C-alpha cells in the first residue's frame, strides 16, 4: 500500500471534507490501521488552517516566489 511505501509520519486532512470532522478522521484512521506496518499505524489529524490553507499557500507565493516560476 502507499502507506507502507511512503511511511508518512501522519495524514493531514483538510478542506470541505473536514466539515464531517471526527466521522471522516475515524474512517481514515481505521483504514490506516488496517494497512499499517508492524511498526505501527499512521495517525490521522485534521488540518489546523481548515478551508483557508490554499489562501495561505497562495499568499506565500507572493511573499517569496519559487525559483522555478
Amino acid at each position: 500500500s502507499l502507506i507502507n511505501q511512503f511511511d508518512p509520519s501522519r495524514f493531514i486532512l483538510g478542506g470541505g471534507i473536514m466539515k464531517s470532522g471526527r466521522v471522516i478522521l475515524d474512517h481514515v484512521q481505521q483504514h490506516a490501521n488496517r494497512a499499517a506496518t508492524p511498526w505501527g499505524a499512521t495517525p490521522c489529524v485534521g488540518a489546523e488552517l481548515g478551508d483557508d490553507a490554499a489562501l495561505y499557500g497562495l499568499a506565500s507565493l507572493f511573499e517569496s516566489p519559487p525559483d522555478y516560476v
Side-chain angles (χ1 to χ4, degrees):
S1 77
L2 290 176
I3 295 172
N4 295 328
Q5 291 177 3
F6 288 104
D7 191 25
S9 60
R10 70 182 54 123
F11 289 117
I12 302 173
L13 300 173
I17 196 167
M18 289 309 297
K19 290 186 175 137
S20 298
R22 287 292 344 150
V23 173
I24 294 296
L25 284 175
D26 289 344
H27 284 290
V28 172
Q29 186 66 63
Q30 288 174 9
H31 179 73
N33 292 346
R34 284 193 303 271
T37 65
W39 302 279
T42 302
C44 301
V45 298
E48 293 179 6
L49 297 177
D51 289 339
D52 294 336
L55 294 175
Y56 284 105
L58 179 63
S60 72
L61 289 176
F62 287 103
E63 291 174 1
S64 57
D67 295 335
Y68 59 85
V69 175

